[in-house]
Amino acid sequence: MPDAPAPVTSPGTSRSTSATIAPNILRYLARVAGESGVDLQPLLTRVGLDPTVMGSAALRVSYRQGSDVIRQAVQRTGDEHLGLRVGAAQHLTAWGLIGLAMMASDTLQDAIETGVRYQNLSGAMTVWSARWEDAGYVLRADLPDPALDPTVAVFLTEEAYSSVVTLTRLSVGAAFAPQAVEFAFPAPRDTRPFDDLFRCPLRFDAAGNRMVFPARWARAAMPGRDPITYASVLEVLDKETASRRDQQDLLEVLEISIAQSLPAVPSFTEQARRHASSERTLRRRLAECGTTYEAIVDGVRREQVEQLLRRPELTLRDITRQAGFADVSALRRAVRRWHGLTPLELRAGLLEREAPTGRPHAPPERGAEP
């Protein structure tokens, strides 16, 4: 394959509440946490992911759901390298048909580019891109939300590159090592797990997340290469991508419609009418997306509340009205269900996280009820 100057990339989901992510990371996260004696099932059940749901091949979760579970899992395990462990526990079979296509690719570069092309089907929570640069073949991992909780951001970056190096060794040989790996987050207290896993020069506090593949490895032949199997699987993946795009479009249209209508919430009947659909058909289409209209409304309200809490001049009564809750008590119950915090505790955390270094933020008490 000729060296292409333009990066191979594929966009992530554009809204954090859309249920469009295959929950592969959460499944492995639950397994790894369980090996440490931490049962995540009560947490998963609380966000609507009971064992039956988690076992469904059709299940999709939102970026927000995934982030919430990850943040609390890191807190409960106390493992600052949990992302490395979750990535290292994976196998290409976890990626389903994408994994098969990667194994059937001609070279490691082809396998990587196949993974990047179909990343939205794989359960990836980072946005991947790949290209040749002066240093070698570079695989970048960007976070779709720059305001992501730092704990979740570190986990996702660790998991992303840990899974890549693990799966590459399973595919082309245990001797594989990147030329270099760069992380945008600060160096942890103990970097030995990174040294042991990656076996190459590491850099923290970098401008971005990058893994550099030596040219000889990028061009290495895949042991399971099979052009007929590869072409056949890509046909199926292309059809699934088109179907997933239609599902994502539906979810985003509904989210935008709800957000623009707040504080009123359009009824399900009204939404069906707007989309020239029967209620039965719309409910079936949402079930195919792995969600319900009520869950979409809840996600949009949650996003709205979090944005409003970032404005210290607003009281809880203001936020209650704008987000469409019946009263302040209903708002408090919803925030407690989403975050396990009161609205003012959540506001304090949001403002503290976003305050520029050395500059005090507005006190959360200004949002208290008069």
Side-chain angles (χ1 to χ4, degrees):
M1 176 179 292
D3 297 352
V8 177
T9 187
S10 177
T13 58
S14 60
R15 290 182 61 83
S16 63
T17 55
S18 296
T20 56
I21 301 171
N24 296 339
I25 293 177
L26 300 189
R27 289 186 175 121
Y28 277 93
L29 175 62
R31 180 187 304 177
V32 171
E35 292 171 355
S36 299
V38 178
D39 181 9
L40 293 185
Q41 191 52 62
L43 171 59
L44 292 167
T45 300
R46 196 178 78 187
V47 297
L49 302 174
D50 61 42
T52 301
V53 172
M54 285 292 287
S56 169
L59 173 63
R60 297 294 178 266
V61 299
S62 70
Y63 196 86
R64 183 65 60 82
Q65 277 180 304
S67 298
D68 285 351
V69 172
I70 289 167
R71 182 179 60 253
Q72 295 192 53
V74 173
Q75 292 173 349
R76 294 184 185 192
T77 61
D79 186 351
E80 64 176 344
H81 300 309
L82 187 60
L84 293 181
R85 294 179 57 208
V86 171
Q90 296 180 38
H91 193 280
L92 274 169
T93 54
W95 294 12
L97 288 178
I98 299 173
L100 177 58
M102 293 173 71
M103 289 188 285
S105 299
D106 187 40
T107 67
L108 179 57
Q109 177 182 338
D110 292 328
I112 292 170
E113 293 181 357
T114 298
V116 169
R117 177 178 174 183
Y118 296 105
Q119 62 182 288
N120 280 352
L121 301 179
S122 70
M125 292 181 69
T126 53
V127 180
W128 294 104
S129 60
R131 65 178 296 163
W132 282 97
E133 299 181 8
D134 291 342
Y137 190 62
V138 176
L139 179 63
R140 295 178 180 270
D142 296 311
L143 298 170
D145 181 3
L148 190 65
D149 183 295
T151 298
V152 178
V154 170
F155 174 94
L156 290 179
T157 307
E158 288 184 352
E159 185 278 333
Y161 284 125
S162 176
S163 64
V164 167
V165 77
T166 298
L167 299 181
T168 300
R169 286 173 181 151
L170 290 173
S171 300
V172 299
F176 168 77
Q179 184 170 307
V181 182
E182 298 179 354
F183 299 100
F185 56 81
R189 291 172 294 178
D190 183 6
T191 62
R192 286 175 297 179
F194 291 82
D195 296 325
D196 294 342
L197 176 65
F198 295 106
R199 305 199 303 259
C200 70
L202 303 171
R203 181 184 172 196
F204 297 91
D205 265 329
N209 302 308
R210 303 194 325 154
M211 177 180 284
V212 182
F213 289 75
R216 71 181 184 90
W217 281 110
R219 297 189 173 103
M222 293 291 287
R225 59 191 182 280
D226 186 315
I228 295 177
T229 298
Y230 181 75
S232 299
V233 175
L234 256 58
E235 284 187 25
V236 178
L237 291 174
D238 285 337
K239 291 179 182 178
E240 187 175 349
T241 298
S243 174
R244 184 72 58 80
R245 189 177 298 116
D246 290 342
Q247 292 178 357
Q248 186 171 324
D249 287 346
L250 171 64
L251 295 175
E252 292 182 359
V253 165
L254 289 173
E255 288 175 349
I256 292 170
S257 172
I258 295 165
Q260 290 178 340
S261 300
L262 288 177
V265 175
S267 68
F268 188 77
T269 301
E270 173 62 16
Q271 291 287 18
R273 186 191 65 77
R274 290 182 184 182
H275 298 288
S277 170
S278 69
E279 292 183 46
R280 180 177 180 181
T281 298
L282 182 56
R283 205 171 295 280
R284 174 183 57 78
R285 292 184 65 192
L286 290 176
E288 291 172 352
C289 297
T291 191
T292 63
Y293 184 61
E294 293 74 19
I296 296 172
V297 171
D298 192 59
V300 172
R301 272 184 166 153
R302 173 175 176 165
E303 190 169 2
Q304 176 82 338
V305 166
E306 291 173 4
Q307 291 301 320
L308 294 172
L309 284 171
R310 289 178 167 89
R311 297 173 54 188
E313 75 277 8
L314 296 179
T315 67
L316 294 187
R317 190 172 288 122
D318 294 332
I319 295 171
T320 295
R321 285 194 296 265
Q322 294 187 40
F325 286 96
D327 51 41
V328 174
S329 294
L331 170 67
R332 289 196 179 101
R333 287 193 299 271
V335 174
R336 175 71 67 178
R337 173 167 52 85
W338 295 330
H339 294 278
L341 301 170
T342 69
L344 295 186
E345 288 171 340
L346 178 60
R347 165 176 274 171
L350 291 171
L351 295 178
E352 183 67 33
R353 187 185 309 158
E354 297 176 2
T357 303
R359 291 180 56 190
H361 57 70
E365 288 75 18
R366 290 181 60 190
E369 281 299 278

